[in-house]
Amino acid sequence: MQSLKVLLLSAAVGCGTGLPAAASSSTWYNSEGGRVRLVTSGKPDEAGRIHGVLDIALKPGWKTYWRDPGDAGVPPQIDISASTNIANATFSFPPPQRHDDGYGKWAGYDHPVSLPVRFTLSAPNEPAVIDADIFLGICETICIPLQTKLTIDPGSDPDNAEDAALVKAALATLPAPARPDFGVNILPGDRETLIVEASFPGSPEAADFFVAGERDYMFGVPARSEKDGKLVFAVPILDRPTTTPTDGGLYYTLTTAAGAVEGLLPFP
């Protein structure tokens, strides 16, 4: 992809504000490469969370990024600090695809995609208004940042069946949790390489492994090989923190012809 500097210099192309909607979804915000909106299921669940999606309707030929966009991209971001009674918002990501545009290889989507987002209420029994600043990169031959503010009052239309169905459908696209027979295990490596062994049903030709850089880690494109009948991915560690974190882990997604799973890896 084009460099982050090019993206930021182009910021004016993709900025704008979506008007608030008296519904469980926002109005659409239109940009050069597509349009975006927020949709929610309206009612919070028993844990005080409102489930929603960032609905990204890309135009043909345009792309957007996964949670780890590579060294020159922009991951989807959401800032809910201006909201009422919203403590935090967390994205989830459908399985990405590997893209090579001549500038580099990166993970993302070349089709319209709905990214599930979970909003946690500060006070579960109180009204909430989602006032979200959205920032993401979308690309054709060049990349531009799309930046807008989207506003929803989920309680104004809490029984909207169409919005609830869209949220449910988006959640169904997420990878399943990894399990012993479908996932990856870390093999011995070094400070410059993350090596994982993949277990999964079906043919290895369609399998791919995506790991997201977190906590100052940065990764290159995995190299594939086979060892003792198992598919092995060797991932270059391009950058890492001075001290290896002892809490949390690295998000990964394993995609295959039989489906996709996701999980957490310990920091290498």
Side-chain angles (χ1 to χ4, degrees):
M1 279 297 136
Q2 302 293 315
S3 69
L4 184 57
K5 181 183 291 187
V6 173
L7 283 162
L8 294 178
L9 287 174
S10 305
V13 178
C15 292
T17 301
L19 297 176
S24 51
S25 63
S26 74
T27 55
W28 286 100
Y29 168 70
N30 294 288
S31 76
E32 181 179 354
R35 56 182 187 162
V36 298
R37 63 173 178 162
L38 277 173
V39 179
T40 74
S41 56
K43 297 177 180 178
D45 62 17
E46 60 278 1
R49 300 171 301 189
I50 295 174
H51 295 275
V53 299
L54 178 62
D55 205 10
I56 307 172
L58 295 169
K59 292 180 181 178
W62 287 77
K63 309 171 187 69
T64 193
Y65 296 99
W66 184 57
R67 65 165 77 240
D68 186 329
D71 61 357
V74 177
Q77 299 169 44
I78 183 169
D79 178 357
I80 46 80
S81 58
S83 299
T84 300
N85 195 29
I86 300 292
N88 59 58
T90 305
F91 278 124
S92 298
F93 291 84
Q97 301 86 39
R98 187 85 55 192
H99 297 280
D100 186 348
D101 59 6
Y103 297 96
K105 295 181 179 180
W106 52 279
Y109 312 94
D110 61 1
H111 52 78
V113 63
S114 294
L115 303 181
V117 55
R118 185 179 65 223
F119 300 96
T120 302
L121 301 183
S122 302
N125 298 318
E126 297 297 325
V129 174
I130 299 168
D131 196 349
D133 286 309
I134 302 295
F135 187 81
L136 66 152
I138 59 173
C139 312
E140 192 185 33
T141 54
I142 63 169
C143 291
I144 61 172
L146 184 156
Q147 187 170 10
T148 186
K149 178 175 288 188
L150 300 175
T151 302
I152 305 174
D153 177 0
S156 67
D157 190 12
D159 299 309
N160 189 303
E162 183 177 345
D163 289 346
L166 191 150
V167 172
K168 183 178 180 180
L171 290 170
T173 68
L174 295 179
R179 56 183 194 261
D181 64 334
F182 197 168
V184 304
N185 293 310
I186 288 185
L187 297 180
D190 54 42
R191 288 186 61 82
E192 296 180 353
T193 311
L194 169 67
I195 303 176
V196 300
E197 177 185 85
S199 300
F200 53 89
S203 170
E205 284 77 14
D208 205 348
F209 173 70
F210 302 87
V211 60
E214 307 271 349
R215 311 278 284 275
D216 295 329
Y217 280 90
M218 181 181 293
F219 297 97
V221 178
R224 302 160 56 99
S225 64
E226 288 196 28
K227 180 180 180 181
D228 300 328
K230 292 282 191 177
L231 183 59
V232 173
F233 294 95
V235 189
I237 301 175
L238 305 179
D239 200 3
R240 61 182 302 141
T242 304
T243 303
T244 302
T246 57
D247 62 312
L250 299 169
Y251 288 98
Y252 79 85
T253 299
L254 176 65
T255 61
T256 75
V261 295
E262 64 182 1
L264 275 180
L265 290 174
F267 294 105

